[in-house]
Amino acid sequence: MRSIRATTLGLLLAASLAGCVTQGGVQQSAAPSGEATQAAQALYTKGQFDQAAQAYLALAAQDANHRDYYKLLAAEAYRQEGALDRAAPIAEEVRRSRLEGEDALRLDALRAEIALKNNDAKTALSLTGKPATRVSPQIDQRLAELRARAQAASGDAWSAAYTRVELDSQLRGIDREENRKEVLTLLSGLGAQQLADRGGALAANDPLKPWVTEAQAQLGTVNRSPAVLDQAVGTITGDKVREGYKVPTKVALLLPLSGPLAGAGAAIRDGFFTNYIDAAHTDAPRPEVAVYDSGNDAQHAVAAYDKAVAEGARFVVGPLNRDGVSAIFAKGALPAPMLTLNYPNDNRNLPPAGANEFGLLPETEGAQVADHMADRGMHVATVIVSTDDFARRAGNAFKAEWQARGGTLAGQVTLDANSIDFASQLSEPTDQDPATSGVFISMKPQQARLLLPQLRLAKNALPVFATSHVYSGGDDPTADRDLEGVEFCDAPWLFDAQPGLPRRASLNDALPATKGVTARLFAFGMDAWGLVPYIDWMRGHPGSYLPGATGQLVADEFGRVRRVLIWARFADGVARPVAGSLELEAPAATPNVESGGG
């Protein structure tokens, strides 16, 4: 990782030549004024570091009272030039006792950087301890970054990660993004077992805890579980203000309004504005909303984002396609914060500053099924999935979470989506107790209706648990009678199980998107609006949640929105919620589809 704010530090050094400079309450050494001093300073400010270094050395030879100070500036100038080898002998000549305040700490930092280049981590560590007194943020950050590098170089990745996490809140822009990558690289490098051992010993409120979880998720050993649900957002305070509610002046909604994803875009748009309009009854302020066609590819998504910002958007919701999310994230610093409606292609990286990620992912559901079965006391599972992409992803997430919870796999079966006879692939379970063993399935309703009777014919009477894909989104008692007893996770709004939202039953006749499988996208759109006023609050208050249409929504420290779904069960061909069915869940793998609906 490049040194943090090297140029800024250098300019501050140069500015201090002009006289007595105070930073962070620390008095700096005073340098004599004069044309030579000003000329050296001007060279430094212009970026002519080699010439500036020579000028400072000339001043050091002429002014015995400030010789060490000028030599420090000369060495720093060579550092800025990228010539640490030329800075080293000069820094070695500087007498630390002749420097004051932060000048002495600058010398320590410079010598530590030289030591690191020479693979001397021990010396670097000895020079970069935490300052005993308050210092300027620039010096504090530089010492911390060097300390982390020294800790890592000495083989103490855990301490290095801690140091970088402490540094995280002080950084902005590219420095923060690079520092975050380093934290996860350090932790991931420890390996799954050491992470599990050390992470398990951390207190729940330890600042390193979420980073350990993120590293474990990237290694595929655990899912990214949201915080324990604590307090719903929007609590009315004494002055009738909704706690955490804050809206920008203008919101842009980026959705595909044409092409293959237009149908999904329309359903999300309808859900968004249904909840937006319904929110008027709270008398809370609402922003202006403008809709932009983000198309179905990266180019159109970036163009829509740029146009929205140019036309005054202060917050952006969307886009829906993964390539578009990735392309906008690649822009670097975002001029307007956003809530994406999918995850980028590479979900291993943390979202950039100002970005929040929200999506309906098969990985989410696979992980929740594993947790649900484990919480029921089961420890043996058979996995049966279709060849569909969503099923493969859900199955992989289930297996990762199941094994992380200590479960074992009795078997794995993949059913061809075009086949109707599965007898040769099914076998009678042996020595499996229905109280401790179960079957996980992920497939569309039509295939599940074929599978369940064949499972029973194979004398498999174990309980069956599924992802939401097993449910067509509406009641069909005749067709779904074959799914008797199957439990699945899904969005609470589909069953009008989330109080405070427009009822699905009352919207069915007016809005076609509320029927069938598109109802999940409609609910997704409802939540997209619901998150806008509260996302900042949720990120800063672990445990706060939004009672949403797709589940209880929790935002982690990194801006990823997680869902807590409900459980439903087929009885007499009708799916109905199971009382007390909320379970914690989160994605356990990188999504690889083009739509937030999975």
Side-chain angles (χ1 to χ4, degrees):
M1 176 181 175
R2 67 187 179 88
S3 298
I4 294 175
R5 302 185 187 279
T7 302
T8 302
L9 286 167
L11 293 176
L12 287 170
L13 278 167
S16 70
L17 280 170
C20 184
V21 178
T22 301
Q23 294 176 348
V26 179
Q27 201 77 3
Q28 305 300 299
S29 299
S33 60
E35 291 184 5
T37 299
Q38 295 173 3
Q41 178 186 352
L43 290 169
Y44 195 107
T45 303
K46 292 177 182 178
Q48 298 175 326
F49 301 120
D50 184 89
Q51 296 177 46
Q54 296 178 43
Y56 289 139
L57 288 174
L59 286 167
Q62 298 166 14
D63 189 342
N65 291 330
H66 298 92
R67 178 174 301 152
D68 297 281
Y69 179 64
Y70 284 125
K71 285 187 175 182
L72 171 62
L73 295 181
E76 283 281 6
Y78 278 131
R79 171 185 177 269
Q80 288 293 97
E81 184 73 12
L84 274 179
D85 55 334
R86 300 182 69 181
I90 300 172
E92 190 65 29
E93 295 174 355
V94 178
R95 295 168 293 179
R96 192 180 190 278
S97 60
R98 300 295 297 271
L99 300 175
E100 298 180 8
E102 290 192 1
D103 294 334
L105 294 178
R106 284 194 178 98
L107 178 62
D108 290 343
L110 179 59
R111 286 177 171 172
E113 194 168 349
I114 293 168
L116 285 172
K117 184 180 180 182
N118 294 329
N119 300 315
D120 185 358
K122 182 178 180 180
T123 296
L125 272 175
S126 70
L127 292 167
T128 54
K130 291 185 179 180
T133 59
R134 187 164 61 94
V135 298
S136 66
Q138 292 82 9
I139 288 297
D140 194 36
Q141 291 166 23
R142 185 178 174 194
L143 286 172
E145 196 265 342
L146 289 167
R147 182 164 61 254
R149 289 170 56 189
Q151 289 166 332
S154 63
D156 189 359
W158 185 258
S159 294
Y162 248 121
T163 300
R164 288 195 178 278
V165 168
E166 291 175 343
L167 180 61
D168 181 70
S169 62
Q170 304 175 45
L171 302 177
R172 295 293 181 270
I174 188 63
D175 285 336
R176 191 178 198 188
E177 291 183 27
E178 290 297 321
N179 186 64
R180 289 184 158 201
K181 289 179 182 177
E182 287 292 327
V183 174
L184 294 176
T185 298
L186 289 163
L187 292 175
S188 299
L190 292 172
Q193 189 59 54
Q194 192 172 167
L195 269 183
D197 294 342
R198 292 196 170 195
L202 294 175
N205 62 347
D206 192 291
L208 194 60
K209 188 87 172 178
W211 296 87
V212 170
T213 301
E214 180 68 21
Q216 289 175 307
Q218 292 193 2
L219 290 174
T221 57
V222 300
N223 68 322
R224 300 181 180 99
S225 298
V228 175
L229 300 181
D230 181 25
Q231 175 68 51
V233 298
T235 303
I236 303 295
T237 60
D239 53 2
K240 296 184 178 181
V241 173
R242 291 182 177 272
E243 185 179 56
Y245 190 97
K246 182 183 70 175
V247 292
T249 55
K250 184 177 181 180
V251 171
L253 179 59
L254 275 53
L255 291 171
L257 303 180
S258 58
L261 293 179
I268 295 170
R269 178 199 61 204
D270 291 351
F272 183 97
F273 281 106
T274 295
N275 206 12
Y276 173 86
I277 293 169
D278 183 74
H281 75 270
T282 66
D283 295 324
R286 292 178 300 160
E288 173 190 352
V289 178
V291 181
Y292 295 83
D293 186 356
S294 59
N296 300 270
D297 56 36
Q299 181 180 356
H300 285 89
V302 171
Y305 178 88
D306 291 342
K307 183 179 181 182
V309 172
E311 293 180 355
R314 294 294 177 264
F315 191 90
V316 176
V317 177
L320 183 60
N321 67 83
R322 293 180 60 212
D323 287 343
V325 174
S326 297
I328 293 174
F329 281 7
K331 291 167 64 69
L334 299 175
M338 63 190 305
L339 173 71
T340 67
L341 298 178
N342 211 327
Y343 289 76
N345 289 313
D346 183 3
N347 198 27
R348 293 179 62 84
N349 293 327
L350 296 174
N356 306 280
E357 298 173 349
F358 182 38
L360 305 182
L361 304 177
E363 289 86 356
T364 287
E365 301 185 21
Q368 175 160 352
V369 178
D371 288 335
H372 182 66
M373 292 174 64
D375 291 341
R376 289 270 297 266
M378 297 181 178
H379 52 78
V380 179
T382 298
V383 175
I384 305 177
V385 299
S386 75
T387 52
D388 292 305
D389 179 70
F390 73 80
R392 177 187 59 79
R393 292 163 54 197
N396 288 339
F398 174 88
K399 287 183 287 185
E401 183 66 6
W402 184 248
Q403 291 168 344
R405 294 289 299 263
T408 59
L409 296 175
Q412 304 179 55
V413 178
T414 300
L415 305 179
D416 190 309
N418 298 315
S419 177
I420 61 173
D421 185 358
F422 314 127
S424 62
Q425 295 177 267
L426 306 176
S427 59
E428 179 181 353
T430 57
D431 300 324
Q432 292 188 38
D433 183 349
T436 58
S437 303
V439 178
F440 164 70
I441 67 172
S442 185
M443 60 193 62
K444 294 176 181 177
Q446 300 90 328
Q447 192 172 32
R449 293 167 188 150
L450 293 170
L451 170 66
L452 265 295
Q454 295 182 56
L455 269 180
R456 303 318 177 203
L457 286 173
K459 298 182 180 180
N460 187 331
L462 299 176
V464 178
F465 303 87
T467 59
S468 67
H469 307 90
V470 77
Y471 178 50
S472 63
D475 291 343
D476 191 347
T478 302
D480 289 338
R481 198 169 299 277
D482 286 331
L483 300 178
E484 188 71 15
V486 173
E487 290 188 24
F488 62 96
C489 54
D490 213 330
W493 183 78
L494 268 62
F495 307 95
D496 283 328
Q498 190 68 277
L501 295 173
R503 288 180 57 80
R504 182 190 185 194
S506 64
L507 297 174
N508 275 172
D509 293 336
L511 296 170
T514 62
K515 299 178 181 179
V517 293
T518 58
R520 295 188 183 92
L521 292 173
F522 188 94
F524 186 47
M526 293 174 71
D527 285 347
W529 158 250
L531 285 166
V532 170
Y534 293 112
I535 188 65
D536 287 345
W537 177 268
M538 292 164 65
R539 288 186 65 165
H541 295 79
S544 63
Y545 66 94
L546 175 73
T550 62
Q552 313 292 64
L553 307 181
V554 182
D556 66 18
E557 294 84 347
F558 310 116
R560 292 194 178 110
V561 178
R562 310 298 178 197
R563 297 187 298 136
V564 179
L565 284 73
I566 68 166
W567 280 87
R569 180 188 297 117
F570 286 101
D572 296 326
V574 178
R576 289 292 178 264
V578 177
S581 65
L582 288 179
E583 302 284 350
L584 295 183
E585 60 73 40
T590 302
N592 60 0
V593 295
E594 294 297 325
S595 116

